[in-house]
Amino acid sequence: MMTYTGVLKLQAKKKDQKTIISSCYYEGALKLTRPVYLEENSPSLYLIHVGGGYVDGDTYITSLAVEDGAELAVTTQSSTKVYRTPKKPVYQRMDVRLGKGSVLEFFPDPLIAYEGARFIQETSVQLEEESCLFFSDIITPGWAEDGSFFQYDWIRSKLKVFNGEKLLIFDHLMLEPDDEMAGMMQMDHYTHVGTFLIFHQKASKEFLDTLYETLADKFEEVRFGLSALPEGGLMVRILASNTGTIEKLIEHAHAFARKELLGKESVRWRKY
Amino acid sequence: MTNHLFPLLQLCDSNFPSGAFSHSFGFETYIQEQLITDKASFAQALTVYLRKQLVFTDGLACSLAYEALDRKAEGDLLEADRLLFVSTLAQETRTGNRRIGERMAKLCVELYPSPVLIDYLTAIKEKRASGHSAIVFAAVAHHLKVPEETAIGTYLFASISSLVQNGVRGIPLGQTDGQRIMVDIQPNIDKAVKMIVGLIKDDFGAVSPGLEIAQMRHERMHVRLFMS
């Protein structure tokens, strides 16, 4: 059996009106805080990496199950740092399962890949028509010793969302800095990539258009696109030159989606 | 059929009515933003598009479909069709691919019918498949016993050629400049084919985000020459 650097498994269930963490297991370098109830009935969890960051050959596996009707928010305590991987890329896998009428808001801090880092991330989400997923991902380059960006070797990120056997989206990003990467069609002279994904039954064309209106022209020095996904849901993809801009845009989109789709005000995850 | 040159010439003809002439697949965004303005910037964009996009998406799908037919694993053809559809996250481009794919499938069933292609068209009509030109091209080429690398190379050539025609109209560029680009890009197409045959299914869709954002932004542009 394969030994992972970090394993984390948790399950959230609805009990009466409240969502509780019904089971939780972790070992190695992954941990999490006790649930914090920033809202009365739904817990927020902060994932923790024990140690400074991901190093050569590390492997991580996380699985999140949000059962029927349960509502859970997950974030991290700080950014994920991937350091040089001379021998073997870092591999991180996450499996998410969403039951009927469940809500998962997944907003980790950015991934920072440093000089010489190779990183593979594979995320698989299993959802049902009535489940709601808000999911974000931010990939950023770390500073190299000479003060420049873009010294990581490569980052490969795969995200698959299924409903039963049916593949709903396959998002595969490959970031491999070379002479051309900063140019047109690749990073378009930006350095940071952000993704915000929404699956919700009420995420209609009208919702998408209004979301676009609320985001357009509000953020400087950012380039983003927004589109309807093949089987419902939508994606915002963002390019920028710093993490802050992407976080602000995603926060704004998240707050709007929370209000329109869930009828909830935005929450602030106090971290530091 | 012993001569596969003629059918390939026919499929690559920019007059072949697949509907590709209505789609820029995100290029128009860069044209409007004045990032593609002349022969040099357009040629550069096409080279990146070929090497960093087409290779990992349409090109690899064409190869996967062709190899599936070699193995008589026609179910894998539909898997490649699905991968193409669900990995295209910009709606306009996805719809464009689907329209072109269905139109090409209908046409080619008339012109070069084969059981595989008829099944694929049926799957499209029954919504078990989305339709994509890369799959149609692989099915026709395999049926005509065109070798795999020739098939992929021709498919890439046809895709680039149709974009060049669109660039000539949209930038605009002189016809001679357009044809010059088609000469200069040929060694890159050869390299792209070599790359594609060395890839595996896991590599499918490995692209960077710029073009996709341009495709999404095209959906919000007010004045447009192209449907994507």
Side-chain angles (χ1 to χ4, degrees):
Chain A
M1 209 182 105
M2 183 165 176
T3 321
Y4 291 92
T5 317
V7 178
L8 193 149
K9 287 180 186 170
L10 71 93
Q11 183 191 44
K13 266 189 181 160
K14 191 174 178 184
K15 193 180 173 194
D16 303 323
Q17 289 309 303
K18 208 172 173 128
T19 296
I20 55 156
I21 306 304
S22 45
S23 85
C24 173
Y25 168 83
Y26 50 83
E27 65 173 46
L30 295 182
K31 263 189 163 176
L32 74 170
T33 58
R34 296 182 63 81
V36 181
Y37 284 84
L38 298 173
E39 292 173 299
E40 202 186 337
N41 293 324
S42 50
S44 295
L45 290 173
Y46 298 72
L47 307 183
I48 301 168
H49 184 270
V50 187
Y54 294 8
V55 294
D56 199 48
D58 276 5
T59 50
Y60 298 92
I61 186 155
T62 302
S63 84
L64 306 175
V66 188
E67 302 298 335
D68 293 0
E71 300 184 2
L72 178 69
V74 176
T75 180
T76 48
Q77 208 171 44
S78 60
S79 56
T80 300
K81 296 164 192 75
V82 186
Y83 295 107
R84 185 186 293 279
T85 58
K87 293 200 188 95
K88 214 176 158 204
V90 170
Y91 175 79
Q92 170 172 281
R93 168 162 190 90
M94 183 166 82
D95 294 301
V96 176
R97 190 166 52 78
L98 298 181
K100 269 200 179 69
S102 69
V103 177
L104 174 67
E105 297 171 85
F106 186 76
F107 289 84
D109 287 287
L111 176 94
I112 306 174
Y114 286 93
E115 187 165 11
R118 291 172 297 159
F119 179 68
I120 304 169
Q121 134 176 309
E122 291 182 354
T123 305
S124 171
V125 180
Q126 198 42 266
L127 51 72
E128 304 202 27
E129 265 148 47
E130 299 86 358
S131 23
C132 164
L133 174 69
F134 296 160
F135 181 96
S136 87
D137 190 31
I138 303 174
I139 299 174
T140 76
W143 295 97
E145 268 169 39
D146 65 0
S148 64
F149 273 145
F150 267 159
Q151 299 296 320
Y152 59 79
D153 282 355
W154 50 257
I155 294 168
R156 192 174 257 225
S157 170
K158 290 184 183 183
L159 167 66
K160 288 182 176 177
V161 180
F162 295 89
N163 182 346
E165 294 280 293
K166 195 172 190 183
L167 182 58
L168 305 182
I169 63 161
F170 175 38
D171 177 22
H172 188 176
L173 282 184
M174 176 76 180
L175 307 175
E176 189 171 20
D178 60 15
D179 301 349
E180 286 171 347
M181 190 196 176
M184 204 194 302
M185 301 197 171
Q186 300 200 66
M187 296 297 280
D188 286 297
H189 305 291
Y190 294 95
T191 45
H192 295 49
V193 192
T195 302
F196 178 42
L197 182 70
I198 296 178
F199 276 93
H200 190 286
Q201 270 187 313
K202 287 192 279 179
S204 60
K205 168 89 172 70
E206 196 192 344
F207 169 79
L208 186 147
D209 288 343
T210 332
L211 174 61
Y212 180 79
E213 292 307 319
T214 72
L215 297 175
D217 308 322
K218 212 165 252 138
F219 301 90
E220 278 175 38
E221 291 170 37
V222 61
R223 181 175 173 87
F224 78 93
L226 169 63
S227 198
L229 296 172
E231 310 278 352
L234 63 95
M235 177 180 277
V236 189
R237 188 87 86 188
I238 310 142
L239 285 170
S241 303
N242 60 69
T243 305
T245 317
I246 298 183
E247 282 178 334
K248 273 195 201 103
L249 195 148
I250 291 180
E251 245 177 68
H252 196 91
H254 182 200
F256 181 81
R258 254 186 156 251
K259 196 161 181 228
E260 295 293 314
L261 302 174
L262 304 180
K264 290 179 173 183
E265 293 304 316
S266 53
V267 285
R268 282 205 72 80
W269 288 308
R270 282 163 289 118
K271 294 195 183 180
Y272 308 110
Chain B
M1 184 160 323
T2 49
N3 187 340
H4 30 69
L5 178 61
F6 298 149
L8 290 179
L9 286 172
Q10 184 186 15
L11 293 173
C12 279
D13 187 341
S14 55
N15 282 321
F16 192 79
S18 67
F21 59 87
S22 310
H23 292 273
S24 87
F25 302 109
F27 274 70
E28 192 174 23
T29 309
Y30 291 112
I31 294 173
Q32 279 207 8
E33 289 169 348
Q34 302 278 304
L35 292 165
I36 295 176
T37 53
D38 54 11
K39 174 172 171 276
S41 50
F42 186 40
Q44 168 63 15
L46 285 167
T47 309
V48 173
Y49 177 67
L50 172 64
R51 186 165 58 220
K52 300 283 173 107
Q53 293 279 337
L54 277 186
V55 162
F56 294 95
T57 55
D58 303 16
L60 179 53
C62 188
S63 161
L64 291 174
Y66 189 100
E67 287 167 16
L69 294 174
D70 259 354
R71 295 193 309 269
K72 302 201 185 307
E74 277 143 31
D76 292 1
L77 207 70
L78 296 190
E79 195 194 345
D81 173 276
R82 186 71 187 164
L83 276 177
L84 279 164
F85 188 66
V86 299
S87 65
T88 310
L89 303 177
Q91 185 181 30
E92 245 180 28
T93 292
R94 192 169 60 242
T95 310
N97 281 335
R98 182 208 282 255
R99 282 206 189 123
I100 294 166
E102 180 165 7
R103 201 150 155 187
M104 255 190 90
K106 279 184 186 157
L107 256 168
C108 290
V109 160
E110 291 291 321
L111 305 173
Y112 299 104
S114 66
V116 164
L117 197 56
I118 292 166
D119 285 350
Y120 184 52
L121 182 59
T122 309
I124 295 173
K125 286 181 174 161
E126 291 172 356
K127 302 201 186 309
R128 286 181 290 115
S130 310
H132 196 288
S133 58
I135 310 285
V136 177
F137 205 96
V140 174
H142 191 267
H143 170 64
L144 298 176
K145 300 192 168 50
V146 176
E148 182 182 356
E149 295 194 14
T150 310
I152 301 168
T154 314
Y155 177 70
L156 296 175
F157 186 94
S159 304
I160 298 288
S161 166
S162 133
L163 277 173
V164 167
Q165 283 312 309
N166 292 347
V168 165
R169 282 189 291 146
I171 299 174
L173 284 185
Q175 287 288 355
T176 310
D177 280 343
Q179 292 306 321
R180 190 75 230 166
I181 290 177
M182 285 314 298
V183 175
D184 295 341
I185 205 154
Q186 287 171 24
N188 293 311
I189 293 181
D190 277 333
K191 275 187 218 154
V193 172
K194 295 275 175 296
M195 235 182 120
I196 290 169
V197 294
L199 295 177
I200 55 168
K201 202 173 93 182
D202 258 8
D203 296 313
F204 181 83
V207 298
S208 38
L211 180 66
E212 178 184 75
I213 292 179
Q215 291 170 347
M216 290 177 172
R217 292 176 75 82
H218 191 271
E219 297 172 14
R220 304 278 158 188
M221 284 183 357
H222 296 297
V223 184
R224 310 126 46 98
L225 214 54
F226 299 101
M227 291 165 73
S228 74

